[in-house]
Amino acid sequence: MQKYNISFKGQKIFIGIDVHKKNWDVAVAPEVGFVKRHSQKASAKVLIDFLKKNYPDGDYLAVYETGFSGFSTYYALKEVGIDCIVIHAADVPTTQYEEVMKTDRIDSVKLVRSLKAGLLKGIYVRERENIDDRSVVRVRKAIQKDLCRYKSRVKHILHCNGVEMPECFDNTNTHWSNAFMNWLKDEVTLLSSTRNSLDLLIKQVETIRMNLLAATRMLRNLSQTERYKSNCKRLVTIPGIGVIVAMSILTEIYDVKRFRNEKEFAAYLGLIPTCHSSGEKVVHGEKTFRGNKQLGPMIVEAAWITINRDAGLGSQYLRYRERMKPQEAIIRIARKLSNIILAILKSEKEYIPYHMGS
């Protein structure tokens, strides 16, 4: 029997991967031929060994959905010679059958067929150096949220035990000062003869405050590094945007050149409305569910400060208020703010706020 050496040289080999922690469900489709699938260990090396054995000399292109593994799978595949794109799960064309019969096998086959048909557009893949920078900013925000939760728990215990605050703490701005913390630790008594629950929470608050301080210092040091310093300095010229918000913007966006226009940037922030059009009827709804969940709300919060410090945007907000609710008006100001942010980052110029009489 004559033996032939099969070669896929010059032919693209498409790979759809349904990624899980311990195993991958893989579907492989050559340019000409049938889709074949298999389950394997979650390893790029195992996959490349399989491809070299069954599809030697091919040009490998893989796709997987964003998820818990982040970009680690992307870089692992690239290191072994497999080109790869990462996609948002909502961007994969899905039939009704695939929605009601969702399995790993169906997902991997769906991915590879869509990839082969050219229907998929990959999301932006972050550079390695940016991944930890972004995580620092996100971790700081998570620590801040944890601190708020524990502060609420302390006050809940005080209310449940009928503890009244001294008059010197009537102003909430004095809460959590050194004097307030000393009062909590030294003078508060609960209904029970012990106060172990309160002491545990106070210790947790103090620990989290130290972690938050360390994270804030780390973020500020990061803002002074060469890759962020110039843009951070420009962004803080916008009223309502400080170093923390500026660094959140810069670490989440990283490469502003990936946005072709203001609409794309606003869509990334989630500041564009949904739209339903049929014939002559066009209806615009609430903000789209797509968008960066870290930056979108942050830009809206900054807009509330901006309208009080920038006369131009403040007057625009008042005009919007004449025909819509405050919450709707501020979203439109946030959209204008997103345009300003994009213009500053692309033009590399500082923002000059508008003042009455200037």
Side-chain angles (χ1 to χ4, degrees), residues 19-24 42 68:
V19 177
H20 294 280
K21 182 178 180 180
K22 294 184 178 180
N23 66 283
W24 292 349
F68 76 97

Side-chain angles (χ1 to χ4, degrees), residues 270-288:
L271 295 176
I272 59 173
T274 56
C275 179
H276 299 276
S277 175
S278 179
E280 298 178 357
K281 185 177 180 181
V282 179
V283 178
H284 294 284
E286 297 180 352
K287 291 189 303 176
T288 175

Side-chain angles (χ1 to χ4, degrees), residues 169-209:
F169 299 131
D170 284 346
N171 188 340
T172 55
N173 292 330
T174 62
H175 294 183
W176 311 109
S177 62
N178 289 334
F180 183 80
M181 294 297 292
N182 290 332
W183 172 73
L184 284 176
K185 290 187 282 188
D186 301 334
E187 300 182 34
V188 173
T189 58
L190 306 182
L191 294 176
S192 304
S193 59
T194 60
R195 42 168 285 166
N196 294 328
S197 58
L198 180 60
D199 289 336
L200 286 171
L201 290 176
I202 291 173
K203 288 181 180 179
Q204 192 68 13
V205 167
E206 291 178 327
T207 300
I208 296 175
R209 287 178 76 172

Side-chain angles (χ1 to χ4, degrees), residues 46-64:
V46 172
L47 179 57
I48 192 64
D49 289 343
F50 171 85
L51 293 173
K52 287 181 177 180
K53 180 180 179 180
N54 294 276
Y55 302 91
D57 305 319
D59 297 326
Y60 309 124
L61 176 60
V63 61
Y64 72 94

Side-chain angles (χ1 to χ4, degrees), residues 7 84 109 122 214-215 271 288 354:
S7 176
C84 181
V109 172
L271 295 176
T288 175
Y354 177 81

Side-chain angles (χ1 to χ4, degrees), residues 246-257:
M247 285 303 297
S248 297
I249 293 170
L250 294 175
T251 54
E252 293 289 337
I253 295 172
Y254 197 66
D255 182 10
V256 72
K257 295 179 181 178

Side-chain angles (χ1 to χ4, degrees), residues 6 68 82 104 118 122 177 180 192 205 218-219 244 249 270 308 347:
I6 300 176
F68 76 97
I82 302 175
D104 296 343
S177 62
F180 183 80
S192 304
V205 167
M218 194 176 295
L219 183 147
I244 293 173
I249 293 170
N308 293 313
S347 68

